[in-house]
Amino acid sequence: MNPELLRRYLGYYQDLGFRHLYRRNQNRGAGALARGGPPGPPQPDFLPVPPAAGSPELLATIREDIGDCRRCRLHEGRAKIVFGSGNQQARLVFVGEGPGADEDEQGLPFVGRAGQLLTQMIEGTARKEGIPIQRKDVYICNVVKCRPPGNRTPLPDEMEICGQFLVRQLLAIRPKAICLLGATAVKALLLDRKEGVTKLRGNWYRWRDIPVMVTYHPSYLLRPYNQSAKREAWEDLKKVLHYVYD
Ligand code: URA
């Protein structure tokens, strides 16, 4: 491989969050890029080919690369991979944690109770604020694409392995803003933030050069004692929608 191409490949893998590349099998394409190095996190069985310079990747290519994924233990209990849904050129992307039972069954993100609340929040706020958008106009996805057993929080290695696909989705869509729903999404994208969602919510941060708003996860808002959090989440959403669509 020529040095320029090698630089492009390595830059791309760095973008996806890989910190160590080690040679598992000399004859395995890009996986054979680097020799040795300290033991890093588990790596996928292949490394994706970077998109041509200056042209964003298609979501369909990313979904194809995921394939019938068995890169981590979450595949064992899943019915369907939940890749994401909505407008592929959305100006706003919502990132949740991982599929629940309804999402696992349907293969679509946020279609259960939390999803219905998210839809109401998006469409209700947009209507009240005079912003002509519906759920189908935004893009919605999760940090992990397979349902964790018993809806537990995804483990660090699961987030690491699946996180590369989230990064690729965001780089492919290049939205005007990203809205992170809850602590797992914050952990995945705002790596240097140690504060909890209660502290972070309502404020703007950056992922790469894209503005990021943090708010509560809709499942948290469904709990009956969280009425004030609900009001706050509506305020957060208002801020995001005006920023993106005004
Ligand atoms: N919770 C999430 O984080 N994502 C979904 O898709 C559904 C519920």
Side-chain angles (χ1 to χ4, degrees):
M1 185 180 284
N2 77 50
E4 195 39 55
L5 196 57
L6 180 61
R7 222 186 323 275
R8 195 156 72 75
Y9 269 69
L10 290 175
Y12 179 63
Y13 297 140
Q14 201 165 26
D15 264 359
L16 298 188
F18 292 111
R19 294 292 166 261
H20 304 287
L21 293 175
Y22 56 92
R23 184 155 66 176
R24 186 185 286 163
N25 176 343
Q26 205 168 346
N27 300 319
R28 223 157 154 174
L33 275 176
R35 195 190 290 266
Q43 285 190 190
D45 285 343
F46 74 97
L47 288 167
V49 175
S55 69
E57 200 170 23
L58 293 175
L59 289 176
T61 310
I62 305 167
R63 179 62 190 89
E64 238 170 68
D65 278 355
I66 292 179
D68 182 30
C69 187
R70 282 150 204 267
R71 295 172 182 83
C72 84
R73 66 187 78 73
L74 291 184
H75 81 272
E76 291 162 12
R78 74 154 185 254
K80 290 198 174 133
I81 291 174
V82 178
F83 179 63
S85 73
N87 181 350
Q88 312 219 356
Q89 278 141 23
R91 283 192 266 167
L92 176 58
V93 174
F94 288 86
V95 180
E97 177 175 295
D102 296 303
E103 290 78 17
D104 180 59
E105 196 184 309
Q106 296 184 43
L108 292 168
F110 282 100
V111 289
R113 278 184 70 221
Q116 284 160 22
L117 178 59
L118 180 62
T119 307
Q120 262 176 36
M121 288 170 69
I122 295 169
E123 299 196 346
T125 310
R127 202 176 317 113
K128 256 197 216 137
E129 298 298 309
I131 298 167
I133 61 138
Q134 295 178 327
R135 173 180 163 138
K136 67 173 172 49
D137 299 309
V138 304
Y139 191 82
I140 301 178
C141 59
N142 286 303
V143 175
V144 295
K145 314 300 188 208
C146 295
R147 182 192 183 195
N151 296 341
R152 68 157 166 75
T153 306
L155 299 174
D157 65 323
E158 296 158 359
M159 288 172 59
E160 176 109 24
I161 291 166
C162 221
Q164 60 163 318
F165 298 111
L166 173 63
V167 168
R168 286 171 70 187
Q169 284 172 298
L170 295 172
L171 294 176
I173 299 170
R174 289 230 140 263
K176 186 168 173 189
I178 299 168
C179 185
L180 302 182
L181 303 169
T184 299
V186 169
K187 231 179 260 171
L189 292 185
L190 299 181
L191 302 175
D192 52 344
R193 292 283 163 181
K194 299 290 170 259
E195 307 96 309
V197 171
T198 313
K199 256 281 177 46
L200 296 173
R201 63 144 287 273
N203 295 311
W204 289 104
Y205 305 91
R206 269 184 190 270
W207 178 79
R208 313 292 166 100
D209 54 345
I210 304 175
V212 169
M213 171 64 65
V214 174
T215 195
Y216 297 110
H217 192 286
S219 302
Y220 176 75
L221 301 175
L222 284 172
R223 299 178 199 166
Y225 48 86
N226 285 338
Q227 289 312 302
S228 65
K230 233 176 179 172
R231 267 193 301 278
E232 290 172 329
W234 253 273
E235 287 305 312
D236 301 342
L237 207 53
K238 226 159 66 177
K239 237 188 232 182
V240 181
L241 292 180
H242 279 298
Y243 172 76
V244 173
Y245 296 102
D246 278 357

